[in-house]
Amino acid sequence: LAVECRAADADLQASLREALEDPATRAAVTAERRVLADLEAGCLAPVGALAEVVEGDDGEELWVRAVALSPDGALSVRRSATGPVADADAVGRRLAAEMVED
């Protein structure tokens, strides 16, 4: 989903951001995109990532799961990571690094 508006209309941009931006969704998308970018996933790469903000023992936390498969599906690396919602990019980066090590 995308919304476009005039670049010079700062008030409208702020209103749209306030009305449409969801912090939990932003964190999940940030983590997923980081995993995919660090694993150099493309349109033909069998790689997937899913993140969600959940209620943890100490409040909200980010859970990220990812899988990378060989082209024939015979080999797979599946990992998950958790961390603070505010550190979504770092959680995604850490998960991708663990997967690369495997």
Side-chain angles (χ1 to χ4, degrees):
L1 176 64
V3 176
E4 293 185 19
C5 70
R6 294 178 302 277
D9 195 338
D11 290 338
L12 179 58
Q13 288 179 23
S15 294
L16 288 171
R17 189 175 304 111
E18 183 179 321
L20 299 176
E21 182 74 11
D22 178 63
T25 301
R26 172 62 57 202
V29 169
T30 297
E32 292 167 355
R33 288 179 178 171
R34 174 52 58 197
V35 170
L36 297 175
D38 285 5
L39 293 178
E40 298 179 8
C43 295
L44 300 176
V47 177
L50 177 64
E52 59 186 323
V53 174
V54 298
E55 190 64 33
D57 293 337
D58 298 320
E60 289 187 335
E61 62 184 20
L62 183 65
W63 287 9
V64 188
R65 296 177 297 236
V67 60
L69 303 164
S70 62
D72 65 1
L75 301 172
S76 69
V77 176
R78 297 172 190 270
R79 295 287 174 264
S80 62
T82 63
V85 174
D87 292 335
D89 191 70
V91 174
R93 185 176 301 278
R94 179 171 42 89
L95 177 56
E98 290 173 7
M99 292 178 74
V100 168
E101 284 182 30
D102 286 345

